[in-house]
């Protein structure tokens, strides 16, 4: 698709990024709900790669390039699980 105007291209790219972020947020909420319900676990490392079910799912769905991004996302999911349990959220703390 060619754009006659650079601003239309930029607008389209921004819209795609927003849709991707919304989709990712829905996915993380869905994963957190399933961890809360016990359908996805974080206490059973694989004998083959040493990753838990939650970690394997996150790597498969979101394809991380950076380990720090992976850890941040996993902590975000675990924070959402704590929220679903109604407890305090000690994992997702504000950093200034």
């Amino acid at each position: 698709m060619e754009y006659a105007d650079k601003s239309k291209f930029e607008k389209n790219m921004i819209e795609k990024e927003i849709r991707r972020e919304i989709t990712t947020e829905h996915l993380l909420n869905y994963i957190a709900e399933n961890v809360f319900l016990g359908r996805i676990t974080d206490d059973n490392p694989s004998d083959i790669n040493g990753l838990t079910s939650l970690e394997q799912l996150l790597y498969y769905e979101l394809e991380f390039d950076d380990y720090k991004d992976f850890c941040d996302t996993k902590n975000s999911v675990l924070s959402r699980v704590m929220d679903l349990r109604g407890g305090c959220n000690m994992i997702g703390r504000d950093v200034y």
Side-chain angles (χ1 to χ4, degrees), residues 8-24:
K8 286 183 182 179
F9 173 76
E10 290 173 350
K11 182 180 177 185
N12 188 30
M13 294 305 290
I14 290 170
E15 288 172 358
K16 284 182 180 179
E17 182 67 21
I18 290 170
R19 280 195 303 270
R20 187 185 67 76
E21 287 178 14
I22 291 171
T23 303
T24 301

Side-chain angles (χ1 to χ4, degrees), residues 26-79:
H26 286 294
L27 176 65
L28 294 179
N29 286 333
Y30 181 75
I31 291 171
E33 289 171 11
N34 282 284
V35 170
F36 173 71
L37 295 172
R39 296 177 183 154
I40 300 171
T41 59
D42 191 37
D43 60 355
N44 61 339
S46 168
D47 292 335
I48 296 171
N49 60 18
L51 299 174
T52 66
S53 299
L54 173 61
E55 293 168 343
Q56 290 181 52
L57 179 64
L58 290 174
Y59 270 119
Y60 177 78
E61 289 293 335
L62 300 175
E63 301 176 358
F64 294 97
D65 294 329
D66 183 15
Y67 184 72
K68 182 183 180 317
D69 291 338
F70 165 76
C71 290
D72 290 344
T73 303
K74 181 180 175 185
N75 285 338
S76 174
V77 169
L78 295 176
S79 295

